[in-house]
Amino acid sequence: MSTTLETKAPSKSMIILAAVVANIIWGTPFKLLKLMYASMDVSREALGDRYIAQVLTIVSVRFLLAGLLTLAVAMIMRQNIVKMSKIQFRNVVIMGLVSTGFAYFFFNIGNVNISSTINSTILAQSTIFFTALLANFIYSDDKLTPMKTLGLVIGFAGLIISQLTGGTSIGDMFHFSITGEGFMLMYGLMATLGTILAKYLGSSLNVFVMTGWSLVVGAIFLFVVGAIFLFVVGAIFLFVVGTLMGGSLTSVHWTTEGILLLILLAAFAAIPFTLWNWAATWGKLSEISVFKFIMPISGSLLSVAFGESFTTSLLIGLILVCVSIIMLNLPSKKPLQAN
């Protein structure tokens, strides 16, 4: 039997603030990851067939650090990080595998197999639509309405327009491959299922404990998968147990800049995952999901801060995303009826 940890629900403004901050931070790794990989000399040209495995392994280290950081915060808050019922433990493991393990397995492989940045960015936000649709069927108080549906359409249009920069082509969006665009759509579905699990589990387990262990579980999954890929393509392992890590991480150039970026990226995983899981616990999923539109906008603005041009399309996209957020959070009493 689960016990609700908090008796008084937070205000809607606090839930919105958590969702906004989470997605602003989530947008920053797109640029920071490129800088980290460049610093560590992790590229397809340098690693060949081992490139994807190397990416998965470094990502696993990032999420492991993020999980341990989150659990450390839970301990500082005097939370017992090992006190869980068997059902809670099972659900945390499932959540970790789904929201971090499977989701970022599909994301990272899909991302490196998609040549178009616009295609990758847009498909990654499929989680918004999966969340709104599944919430419509799972939660009686979270139905799709005409206003929410129109808001999703406007937000998606804003997302497309915002990414039409740097010579990308709309035609690129119509190319499809299973391990590229298909995997990115699977990422969206896995991320959505992770959010639903967070909403279910968050009512009975401290959000820091829940998020921390789910990140650790997902990180272990990613590391094992990355190590397996390295073995398949012929990597030589040095020791029976330590070989998996040694075989993957010794080929990385561990520069000071790269390590600092890795630590920063770990923090930029721990903070938004915790905020998002907390927001999902208390908020309506169809309403908070629209804040995912902020993530690519945030990433684009960070790129501008690093010297890229602020374009008219980015400005228009930003405006449309803001309109979409407002529309999806306006009260509406008429649910959208199925035909």
Side-chain angles (χ1 to χ4, degrees):
M1 183 175 68
S2 64
T3 303
T4 302
L5 292 177
E6 299 183 53
T7 57
K8 183 179 180 181
S11 66
K12 185 174 182 179
S13 61
M14 290 301 298
I15 296 172
I16 290 175
L17 179 61
V20 169
V21 173
N23 283 284
I24 288 176
I25 298 175
W26 256 328
T28 57
F30 287 97
K31 185 67 176 181
L32 297 180
L33 281 169
K34 290 183 178 180
L35 294 174
M36 183 185 71
Y37 290 146
S39 175
M40 293 180 173
D41 197 24
V42 175
S43 65
R44 192 179 293 276
E45 292 75 20
L47 297 168
D49 292 338
R50 301 173 67 239
Y51 172 62
I52 292 177
Q54 197 69 63
V55 167
L56 287 177
T57 305
I58 294 178
V59 165
S60 73
V61 175
R62 176 196 173 196
F63 285 119
L64 178 60
L65 290 175
L68 294 176
L69 175 63
T70 308
L71 290 174
V73 173
M75 293 176 66
I76 292 173
M77 298 174 63
R78 299 183 182 279
Q79 294 292 327
N80 189 333
I81 64 172
V82 296
K83 185 179 181 181
M84 285 183 281
S85 66
K86 291 182 179 179
I87 295 177
Q88 287 174 331
F89 177 76
R90 179 201 65 190
N91 290 337
V92 165
V93 171
I94 294 173
M95 179 181 167
L97 290 173
V98 171
S99 65
T100 304
F102 292 138
Y104 284 91
F105 167 80
F106 287 120
F107 176 87
N108 284 282
I109 294 181
N111 191 45
V112 299
N113 286 323
I114 296 176
S115 58
S116 169
T117 301
I118 179 174
N119 205 0
S120 179
T121 303
I122 291 171
L123 288 174
Q125 307 318 309
S126 60
T127 179
I128 300 170
F129 301 96
F130 283 127
T131 301
L133 289 173
L134 290 180
N136 180 69
F137 295 105
I138 296 175
Y139 305 108
S140 60
D141 63 342
D142 202 2
K143 300 295 185 181
L144 275 174
T145 64
M147 181 68 75
K148 288 182 179 179
T149 304
L150 181 58
L152 286 173
V153 172
I154 291 176
F156 187 63
L159 178 62
I160 294 176
I161 293 172
S162 72
Q163 300 303 307
L164 288 176
T165 58
T168 52
S169 168
I170 293 180
D172 290 337
M173 289 186 288
F174 296 100
H175 175 269
F176 186 88
S177 70
I178 296 297
T179 57
E181 288 79 2
F183 271 28
M184 197 60 78
L185 288 174
M186 285 301 299
Y187 157 76
L189 179 58
M190 293 297 105
T192 296
L193 293 176
T195 299
I196 292 174
L197 285 170
K199 184 175 182 65
Y200 168 74
L201 189 57
S203 62
S204 62
L205 189 63
N206 176 269
V207 69
F208 286 95
V209 176
M210 172 183 70
T211 304
W213 281 120
S214 67
L215 286 169
V216 169
V217 169
I220 293 172
F221 170 84
L222 287 171
F223 178 78
V224 171
V225 171
I228 289 173
F229 275 142
L230 283 174
F231 181 81
V232 169
V233 299
I236 299 176
F237 300 107
L238 302 176
F239 303 98
V240 175
V241 177
T243 19
L244 294 179
M245 181 174 290
S248 58
L249 298 182
T250 53
S251 58
V252 176
H253 295 105
W254 291 102
T255 63
T256 301
E257 178 186 4
I259 293 173
L260 290 175
L261 284 170
L262 179 62
I263 295 172
L264 183 62
L265 284 163
F268 283 4
I271 296 170
F273 263 108
T274 303
L275 289 173
W276 183 256
N277 288 340
W278 180 83
T281 298
W282 292 106
K284 292 184 178 180
L285 297 188
S286 67
E287 293 180 358
I288 68 168
S289 64
V290 70
F291 294 103
K292 288 278 189 177
F293 284 129
I294 294 176
M295 182 164 55
I297 299 293
S298 171
S300 298
L301 292 176
L302 180 65
S303 297
V304 170
F306 275 87
E308 296 184 19
S309 300
F310 187 85
T311 63
T312 302
S313 59
L314 180 56
L315 176 61
I316 295 173
L318 181 59
I319 293 173
L320 289 178
V321 165
C322 290
V323 171
S324 172
I325 290 171
I326 293 172
M327 292 180 66
L328 263 81
N329 283 278
L330 287 176
S332 180
K333 298 181 180 180
K334 297 179 179 180
L336 188 63
Q337 299 295 332
N339 292 328

